[in-house]
């Protein structure tokens, strides 16, 4: 499913989970709000978060009643260090944390196991030549009927087609009709001036 995160997505979850409204960043809490809402909507019990880094709001919000896994490793363009991953292993004993990168056939991730595979602000860091393998591995580890939810950061005018194509190539179906998945401009921001935005980028 592809849609632009808005305050309408964030606000109900932020009221329910104060962690989302007391965060120093903006994009991460909005992404986690969307993932949290889907997790509750589909009552996902076995959840894998890709690229949790040095902290996951999901692990903090849903401390009981769900089986959480995390997958992450050190990559060149990441600020996550070995000591961050070690701290995560010590802090989140109830979460099964696996070291590795999606798309490398991580043996510890079982076939047809997860109800949801998700990430927040991670997909944009996956090289295009690895996208197909990443979604193929997601298809392998997700239960039939499971949910894939990636909140990723896009800039105006960015070509998101490679992500769509990799998703479909792996065999996934969309939650909503593809023609309804468009990026829009929030009304509260005022009149949308496409020409001036184009000049900026």
């Amino acid at each position: 499913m592809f849609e632009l995160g808005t305050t309408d997505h964030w606000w109900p979850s932020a009221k329910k989970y104060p962690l989302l409204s007391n965060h120093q960043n903006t994009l991460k809490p909005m992404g986690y709000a969307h993932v949290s809402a889907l997790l509750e909507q589909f009552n996902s019990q076995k959840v894998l978060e890709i690229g949790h880094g040095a902290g996951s709001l999901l692990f903090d919000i849903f401390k009981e009643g769900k089986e959480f896994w995390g997958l992450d490793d050190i990559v060149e363009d990441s600020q996550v260090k070995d000591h961050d991953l070690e701290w995560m292993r010590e802090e989140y004993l109830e979460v099964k944390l696996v070291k590795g990168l999606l798309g490398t056939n991580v043996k510890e991730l079982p076939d047809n196991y997860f109800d949801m595979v998700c990430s927040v602000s991670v997909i944009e860091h996956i090289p295009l030549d690895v996208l197909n393998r990443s979604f193929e591995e997601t298809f392998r580890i997700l239960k039939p009927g499971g949910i894939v939810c990636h909140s990723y950061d896009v800039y105006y005018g960015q070509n998101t087609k490679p992500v769509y194509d990799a998703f479909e190539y792996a065999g996934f179906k969309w939650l909503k009709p593809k023609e309804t998945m468009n990026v829009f401009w929030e009304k509260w921001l005022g009149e949308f001036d496409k020409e001036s935005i184009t000049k900026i980028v």
Side-chain angles (χ1 to χ4, degrees):
M1 176 163 58
F2 179 78
E3 55 189 345
L4 187 67
T6 69
T7 50
D8 290 338
H9 290 101
W10 173 80
W11 185 239
S13 292
K15 286 192 292 187
K16 188 172 183 179
Y17 304 115
L19 278 173
L20 296 172
S21 57
N22 296 329
H23 199 276
Q24 68 270 25
N25 296 325
T26 302
L27 289 175
K28 282 279 189 182
M30 286 185 77
Y32 276 115
H34 196 125
V35 172
S36 297
L38 285 174
L39 197 151
E40 291 181 324
Q41 178 185 346
F42 291 96
N43 194 27
S44 302
Q45 297 299 309
K46 296 178 179 178
V47 181
L48 170 67
E49 181 177 355
I50 306 301
H52 53 75
S56 167
L57 294 178
L58 288 183
F59 300 165
D60 291 326
I61 291 171
F62 301 98
K63 290 186 176 181
E64 297 177 4
K66 297 187 184 299
E67 180 183 331
F68 276 102
W69 290 50
L71 178 70
D72 208 342
D73 205 350
I74 306 305
V75 292
E76 284 184 22
D77 72 340
S78 174
Q79 296 180 4
V80 179
K81 307 297 181 201
D82 270 325
H83 61 81
D84 294 321
L85 298 180
E86 184 58 39
W87 177 84
M88 288 289 291
R89 285 189 284 275
E90 294 169 3
E91 184 71 15
Y92 296 96
L93 298 175
E94 70 282 3
V95 177
K96 180 154 178 67
L97 296 172
V98 177
K99 191 169 183 179
L101 297 174
L102 193 65
T104 60
N105 196 25
V106 181
K107 301 297 184 190
E108 289 182 69
L109 300 178
D111 294 351
N112 303 317
Y113 188 78
F114 297 101
D115 301 310
M116 176 184 278
V117 175
C118 62
S119 73
V120 176
S121 300
V122 172
I123 289 291
E124 64 271 19
H125 298 289
I126 298 178
L128 292 179
D129 60 333
V130 181
L131 269 177
N132 281 348
R133 293 198 310 272
S134 297
F135 281 113
E136 285 172 348
E137 184 157 25
T138 301
F139 196 88
R140 172 182 73 80
I141 63 179
L142 194 71
K143 284 181 181 176
I147 301 297
V148 178
C149 175
H150 295 293
S151 170
Y152 76 108
D153 310 336
V154 296
Y155 55 83
Y156 180 77
Q158 180 177 347
N159 180 13
T160 57
K161 189 174 187 308
V163 176
Y164 282 58
D165 290 347
F167 187 81
E168 291 180 336
Y169 178 80
F172 289 111
K173 304 295 182 202
W174 298 101
L175 282 177
K176 52 172 64 172
K178 191 173 180 182
E179 61 273 9
T180 68
M181 298 185 290
N182 56 353
V183 177
F184 55 90
W185 187 260
E186 289 197 73
K187 292 177 183 175
W188 66 269
L189 290 172
E191 202 61 30
F192 176 52
D193 182 357
K194 183 175 180 180
E195 186 177 336
S196 64
I197 296 294
T198 305
K199 286 177 183 175
I200 294 171
V201 295

